[in-house]
Amino acid sequence: MIMIGFVKKYFVKTVSILLALLFVYAAGSKLLDFENFQVQLAQSPLLSAYAGVVSYSIITIEFIVAILLCLQNTRLLGLYLSLGLMAAFTIYIYIILTYSEFVPCSCGGILEKMGWTGHLIFNICVVILTAVAIFLLERNRETRITRILSFSAGTVIVSCLVVVMMFLSSENIIKKENNFTRRFLQHPIFEDKVYNLGVNSYYFAGITNGKIYLGNLTTPLFITEIDTGFAAMRRTKITLDNLDHTFRNVQLKVKYPYYYLFDGNVPVIYRGKLGDSTANTISNGDAYFNQLIVLDSMKFGIRTQKRSDNQYTFASLDLNGDPKLSLKTEILKKQIDGVFDVDGSLNYDPVNDKIVYTYFYRNQFIVMDSDLSVKNRFNTIDTTSRANISVIRLSDGRNKMNAPSVSVNKSFALYGGLIFNRSNLKGKHEPSSSWKNSSIIDVYSTDEQHYIGSFYIRNREGKSMSSMICDGHYLYVLIGNELQRYRIRDGAFKFNIQRNQWFKEALADRDI
């Protein structure tokens, strides 16, 4: 009984102090980096329309609640407001994790490092502690249990409803039906084999001679080799000839008979022979870059930034050339800022020696030869011809997105004149359930303006694909911990290209 009395006496005060410290810390972190906090709120799919009001309101409310918690006469009111705030934060994180494709909002400080699932668990625990503190304080005042429960439940429900209403009114959280219609192909691929990799940090580094090569984000100095039949897996630790560099994001690429390691934040490229664990420096100080494709043993295509204005541009990096670096400033077409609006993904097709760049925020992909000369600019089937983004320049010179971006294309695989493009927009009459449970792949030709058709790749255990690669016979996909192999049906895509050619010839004959 003494212990129970001690807990009752100090529990409420302890919880109140901890909550006050939490709110002061959170509000102070936001206030110290207010400009960045406001921009991050503007990126949120739930709060973008209310970013200005919410950014000031949250900080003000957190400071006020902290003061109320510290005063004995207003502590109960402070606890109820704390319950409402924490319930709102909790349902916000749940909606973001469950329904949104990105989690842009930052709480700053230590909590920002926690991770969103951990943050959700932390918030739930705080809500429970706050509810218990309210119950004990109210019972100490001889308040009826029914009144305590109804007030507490009402506070939580109202707070959650406010956030849910923001979710339902948001135009960005739910994919809209766009003014285009897809043609879904009849069983173009069949799930064939699955290999459990054990972890979800792998990415495709290349595929050649019946072997798939994987890099790993958490162990970047390892190259993983799996035969295309999924019979055997081998990992090799790579030794670099020079480690005197401050790497941020080491990446791996394979082009037979070599593998390449690089980090464009550091202007260094290493090369090693497949089967050999030692990689030697072949480029040091030649160019900074943020994307790289291997064209030949000593030739690369890169995306870099111009010194004059920091806008993105392509360049050819030929380590045997003179000069080694040749900028291709005319390829990327600026619409807004020359950085976010031209952002995209660069890939190389070894079969027909073509380079393809697909924009993230507009319906276009660029086809180039190995010298980065533009051959064609083709469009995807949607209608987003202009990047639908908003960019703001911070006082420290950084550019940031100022609103949720409307992404058109996510990623793509390239092989034999075909683009397997993972789209991010829903067409006419496409059920929302399919988008929630699958990734949609649109197939295009790199030889002409031609959309071939579409198909779904189903999620596995609630996880969607992270990347894909193709060898002409199979489409390989990474989903969570798994490497999946899909067999491409014979003629599934070739038939459509032939039919399109026949249709064009028929139109030409009719015109004659």
Side-chain angles (χ1 to χ4, degrees):
M1 292 297 293
I2 296 175
M3 180 61 68
I4 295 174
F6 180 82
V7 170
K8 283 184 177 181
K9 182 177 180 180
Y10 291 102
F11 181 84
V12 174
K13 183 179 292 186
T14 302
V15 171
S16 299
I17 292 173
L18 290 175
L19 284 170
L21 291 174
L22 176 65
F23 289 135
V24 169
Y25 173 76
S29 299
K30 297 180 181 77
L31 195 60
L32 289 174
D33 196 13
F34 181 74
E35 189 179 38
N36 190 42
F37 167 63
Q38 198 170 43
V39 169
Q40 288 173 320
L41 278 182
Q43 295 174 5
S44 169
L46 271 69
L47 303 176
S48 59
Y50 320 101
V53 174
V54 170
S55 60
Y56 290 101
S57 299
I58 287 181
I59 294 174
T60 304
I61 291 172
E62 285 179 334
F63 277 128
I64 291 173
V65 172
I67 295 171
L68 294 175
L69 288 167
C70 293
L71 302 175
Q72 188 172 350
N73 293 336
T74 58
R75 184 164 293 156
L76 182 61
L77 174 60
L79 286 171
Y80 273 114
L81 291 175
S82 300
L83 182 66
L85 270 179
M86 295 308 299
F89 294 158
T90 302
I91 194 66
Y92 171 81
I93 295 173
Y94 174 77
I95 292 174
I96 287 289
L97 288 174
T98 307
Y99 298 103
S100 178
E101 294 179 352
F102 59 99
V103 283
C105 182
S106 167
C107 291
I110 297 173
L111 297 182
E112 186 179 9
K113 314 296 183 185
M114 188 181 294
W116 286 91
T117 301
H119 202 164
L120 178 65
I121 295 171
F122 174 82
N123 280 12
I124 292 172
C125 292
V126 173
V127 167
I128 293 172
L129 287 174
T130 306
V132 172
I134 289 173
F135 182 82
L136 293 176
L137 186 56
E138 286 276 38
R139 288 298 292 160
N140 190 50
R141 298 183 178 188
E142 300 182 351
T143 307
R144 295 195 309 272
I145 293 178
T146 53
R147 184 178 183 277
I148 300 171
L149 294 177
S150 61
F151 266 64
S152 299
T155 301
V156 171
I157 290 171
V158 169
S159 298
C160 291
L161 280 176
V162 170
V163 179
V164 170
M165 290 303 294
M166 289 182 181
F167 164 69
L168 294 176
S169 65
S170 172
E171 295 182 348
N172 298 290
I173 191 70
I174 301 174
K175 289 184 173 69
K176 289 187 171 182
E177 185 174 274
N178 293 277
N179 189 30
F180 65 90
T181 304
R182 284 188 169 89
R183 178 173 64 250
F184 286 92
L185 303 171
Q186 293 296 314
H187 306 295
I189 62 171
F190 300 91
E191 186 175 329
D192 186 67
K193 285 188 176 183
V194 176
Y195 190 94
N196 191 337
L197 296 168
V199 295
N200 63 358
S201 52
Y202 283 104
Y203 62 91
F204 288 114
I207 182 169
T208 183
N209 293 347
K211 294 179 180 178
I212 303 166
Y213 295 93
L214 303 173
N216 194 309
L217 296 173
T218 56
T219 54
L221 293 183
F222 278 86
I223 180 170
T224 300
E225 174 188 305
I226 302 176
D227 68 282
T228 53
F230 293 1
M233 173 178 172
R234 185 177 73 174
R235 297 183 76 218
T236 303
K237 185 176 181 179
I238 300 169
T239 302
L240 303 180
D241 66 343
N242 185 357
L243 290 172
D244 296 332
H245 302 290
T246 307
F247 295 118
R248 298 181 189 174
N249 180 30
V250 176
Q251 297 179 56
L252 174 72
K253 291 275 188 183
V254 171
K255 182 175 173 59
Y256 187 82
Y258 300 107
Y259 63 87
Y260 300 82
L261 280 164
F262 55 88
D263 179 350
N265 297 296
V266 179
V268 175
I269 301 174
Y270 300 92
R271 188 184 72 180
K273 200 158 189 178
L274 290 169
D276 188 350
S277 62
T278 302
N280 298 305
T281 303
I282 60 172
S283 174
N284 190 352
D286 295 314
Y288 290 90
F289 51 88
N290 43 53
Q291 288 193 42
L292 176 145
I293 54 171
V294 184
L295 302 174
D296 204 345
S297 61
M298 298 289 280
K299 184 178 179 181
F300 309 89
I302 63 173
R303 193 185 72 178
T304 183
Q305 289 182 279
K306 292 181 286 185
R307 290 183 179 179
S308 57
D309 53 17
N310 288 326
Q311 293 181 14
Y312 285 161
T313 186
F314 290 135
S316 174
L317 177 60
D318 187 349
L319 300 182
N320 291 325
D322 185 18
K324 294 181 181 180
L325 188 68
S326 177
L327 295 181
K328 310 289 182 178
T329 58
E330 73 286 351
I331 298 175
L332 294 177
K333 302 296 185 183
K334 173 184 173 181
Q335 291 181 337
I336 300 170
D337 70 329
V339 178
F340 291 110
D341 63 331
V342 298
D343 199 8
S345 183
L346 189 65
N347 211 332
Y348 174 65
D349 185 349
V351 176
N352 58 13
D353 198 29
K354 286 183 178 177
I355 301 167
V356 173
Y357 185 79
T358 300
Y359 287 110
F360 288 147
Y361 303 114
R362 63 177 101 163
N363 65 341
Q364 188 180 89
F365 59 92
I366 308 168
V367 181
M368 298 165 276
D369 62 20
S370 58
D371 292 322
L372 276 81
S373 296
V374 176
K375 295 303 178 183
N376 286 293
R377 296 179 187 269
F378 293 137
N379 295 108
T380 53
I381 57 176
D382 62 273
T383 57
T384 310
S385 59
R386 184 171 178 83
N388 190 358
I389 61 174
S390 177
V391 179
I392 187 173
R393 188 172 183 84
L394 303 182
S395 57
D396 61 4
R398 290 178 296 161
N399 285 346
K400 278 206 169 188
M401 291 275 200
N402 193 36
S405 57
V406 178
S407 176
V408 175
N409 307 304
K410 282 191 170 183
S411 61
F412 72 102
L414 181 65
Y415 188 87
L418 293 177
I419 295 178
F420 298 90
N421 183 60
R422 184 183 176 191
S423 176
N424 198 44
L425 293 180
K426 185 173 73 173
K428 279 186 177 180
H429 316 304
E430 294 174 14
S432 298
S433 58
S434 296
W435 278 88
K436 185 177 181 180
N437 301 319
S438 309
S439 298
I440 192 164
I441 310 300
D442 298 327
V443 186
Y444 301 92
S445 169
T446 61
D447 298 322
E448 56 183 324
Q449 177 66 68
H450 179 52
Y451 160 63
I452 296 170
S454 303
F455 60 89
Y456 287 113
I457 292 180
R458 302 295 177 187
N459 296 351
R460 302 276 290 196
E461 299 179 353
K463 297 178 180 178
S464 61
M465 61 171 286
S466 58
S467 59
M468 56 185 164
I469 198 169
C470 183
D471 65 359
H473 301 288
Y474 296 96
L475 186 67
Y476 302 90
V477 177
L478 289 171
I479 302 181
N481 297 343
E482 294 181 345
L483 171 61
Q484 297 187 18
R485 189 177 81 172
Y486 292 88
R487 178 173 61 83
I488 298 175
R489 178 171 56 81
D490 291 341
F493 307 120
K494 187 182 297 183
F495 172 78
N496 287 279
I497 294 176
Q498 291 174 341
R499 182 176 64 181
N500 186 61
Q501 184 62 33
W502 171 86
F503 181 66
K504 287 183 176 180
E505 291 174 355
L507 287 178
D509 292 340
R510 187 179 67 183
D511 291 340
I512 293 173

